[in-house]
Amino acid sequence: MWELVLLLLFNYGYMQVRIPPIGFGIPTGELLLVFYLCSFTVLGAIRRLSKQILIIPCLIWWLLGLVRALMGVPKYGVWAIRDATHVIESFYLLVGYVFFAHERSREILLRHYPRVLAIIGVYSLTYPAREALQRISPKIPSPNGVPTAIFFWYMFTPGFVLVAAAAYLLLADRGAIGKLRATVVSGVLVAFTVAIYQTRTVYLQFAGIAVFLFVYSRRNVSRWFAAVLVLICGVAAIQVTGVQIRGRLDQPISFQFMADHVASIVGIESNSAEGAARGSEQRVDWWKDILHRWTATPTTFMFGLGYGFPLIDLITTDGVPVREPHNSVISIAARLGFLGLVAWLWLQALLLLRWRRALAYCNCLSFHRETIFLKVTMVFSIVVLIGGMTEPSFELTFLTIPYYFLWGLVLALEASTRKRYRAALHTAEAESAPFELLQPA
């Protein structure tokens, strides 16, 4: 639990913490993974999991990824293992599955995760002072030897804040005062994130969460869009008073900038978002080049280009090569080919189906707390998946570990609620209950 909290809160900086701290040490997340995999029978966990979901895509994903990583070691060394962290850390699916099967662990998580989200929301407000905070933060050398602050990076914090804001609405008290308080707090968090962090992906993530709430929590849709009203009022007040407040891109907060920023998503340039628009064009060029190399031969198309080398030709100002093309789906296709991409997409589809079944069981059993947890988990998944379309989400430990761990929890919850549902039917002597009872409310 502490590992998850530190990854979600301090993301990129804490991701660099490893043993030994110099060179290619073993990150704490991987050390914990080894510990957990040694603490239970992996094959037994896989067998239990295979009774719940079709295990074939999991096995293809894991075996192909590990084989391709080992094939890259003779030529590229440890970098082949480092590039394959998405595959390695996806084993947290098993860890979460076993973890949530223990009643005490389940109770601790369900009781404390709202507090973690609240801490993230408060922490996000310190973003304007990030440069001063990074200077006083302890440093650790990255694998490339660049001194890196452990705390105060805020790399994916905007997405986490959206999750916290949506969770606050879902967890709100049923009374009018509680709903109003949740609406205001959620609106302020979202408005602050959009205005100050100035990240284009946030617009897409906000829309994705809105669609989800419309389908699964319709009463919260209007409260979610109240954040837009808070944002409009805040920006209007700033422009009327003439106060200059600048965000991450060093652009003053204004309606014009936000309109230009949204337009830059599709490459439309403007004076205030020119760099963002050019960044979109650059990414498209990367993706075209990678797709060309991936489909160059039948072998690379089916099994990918492998691990150990950067997929793009870009060097940061610190002299560090950028390894991924800011699109996790394209990275998966390029690294593991058509077979790996199909296995991963197949796995995501199976997880979604299990989530729907778990939600249906919880609704039927009136498990309110578990129902909210499932919805918050899906909001988090939506944020990560949308982020993976424009960022290397699944190549970042602080996203991959929580993502697969939470999905392991969902699978375990679906298994336990299914048993309780069947027991309830048996007790009520209603084995012939209509299927409609299992549809999500």
Side-chain angles (χ1 to χ4, degrees), residues 103-170:
E103 185 175 351
R104 181 174 178 274
S105 300
R106 184 189 313 129
E107 184 62 27
I108 291 174
L109 185 138
L110 292 175
R111 187 190 313 130
H112 291 294
Y113 85 87
R115 300 176 184 176
V116 174
L117 292 174
I119 291 172
I120 291 174
V122 174
Y123 170 79
S124 69
L125 302 179
T126 63
Y127 178 76
R130 65 192 180 282
E131 294 181 359
L133 292 172
Q134 283 186 4
R135 283 196 293 270
I136 64 174
S137 169
K139 306 293 192 301
I140 187 172
S142 70
N144 292 290
V146 179
T148 305
I150 297 177
F151 308 129
F152 310 114
W153 270 93
Y154 310 93
M155 180 174 283
F156 206 81
T157 301
F160 295 150
V161 174
L162 293 185
V163 176
Y168 203 63
L169 292 179
L170 294 168

Side-chain angles (χ1 to χ4, degrees), residues 231-259:
L231 178 62
I232 292 173
C233 293
V235 175
I238 291 172
Q239 294 197 228
V240 168
T241 57
V243 177
Q244 287 283 327
I245 299 178
R246 296 178 179 271
R248 179 181 65 91
L249 299 178
D250 198 31
Q251 293 291 334
I253 299 171
S254 66
F255 291 118
Q256 183 62 49
F257 167 74
M258 287 190 292

Side-chain angles (χ1 to χ4, degrees), residues 18 35 52-53 164 198 202 232 238 263 267 306-307 352 434:
R18 57 199 184 278
F35 170 78
Q52 194 168 351
I53 65 171
Q198 296 181 344
V202 166
I232 292 173
I238 291 172
Y307 294 109
L352 177 59

Side-chain angles (χ1 to χ4, degrees), residues 55-73 80-81 83-88 90-91 294 298-308 331-346:
I55 203 66
I56 293 175
C58 290
L59 297 180
I60 294 175
W61 168 254
W62 287 330
L63 291 175
L64 179 61
L66 294 177
V67 168
R68 293 298 279 157
L70 293 175
M71 289 174 62
V73 170
I81 304 298
D83 288 341
T85 53
H86 180 187
V87 175
I88 296 170
S90 65
F91 279 96
W294 167 40
T299 301
T300 58
F301 173 73
M302 185 59 64
F303 301 107
L305 301 170
Y307 294 109
S331 291
I332 293 169
R335 299 289 193 186
L336 293 180
F338 179 75
L339 185 60
L341 178 62
V342 169
W344 185 78
L345 292 175
W346 192 0

Side-chain angles (χ1 to χ4, degrees), residues 293-410:
R293 286 186 286 149
W294 167 40
T295 57
T297 68
T299 301
T300 58
F301 173 73
M302 185 59 64
F303 301 107
L305 301 170
Y307 294 109
F309 56 92
L311 287 175
I312 59 177
D313 184 17
L314 179 66
I315 306 296
T316 67
T317 55
D318 295 321
V320 178
V322 177
R323 310 187 66 80
E324 304 296 338
H326 286 62
N327 187 309
S328 289
V329 176
I330 291 180
S331 291
I332 293 169
R335 299 289 193 186
L336 293 180
F338 179 75
L339 185 60
L341 178 62
V342 169
W344 185 78
L345 292 175
W346 192 0
L347 174 60
Q348 305 311 305
L350 291 175
L351 294 176
L352 177 59
L353 292 174
R354 291 299 95 188
W355 178 89
R356 284 175 52 85
R357 299 291 290 181
L359 183 66
Y361 289 129
C362 289
N363 282 330
C364 293
L365 296 169
S366 298
F367 287 177
H368 178 71
R369 187 174 59 165
E370 287 79 1
T371 298
I372 300 301
F373 170 75
L374 285 170
K375 291 180 179 179
V376 173
T377 299
M378 181 54 69
V379 170
F380 176 81
S381 300
I382 290 171
V383 166
V384 174
L385 289 168
I386 292 177
M389 300 298 105
T390 58
E391 301 290 342
S393 294
F394 288 97
E395 288 71 49
L396 299 171
T397 293
F398 59 85
L399 292 176
T400 310
I401 289 178
Y403 179 86
Y404 285 104
F405 181 81
L406 287 174
W407 275 111
L409 304 183
V410 170

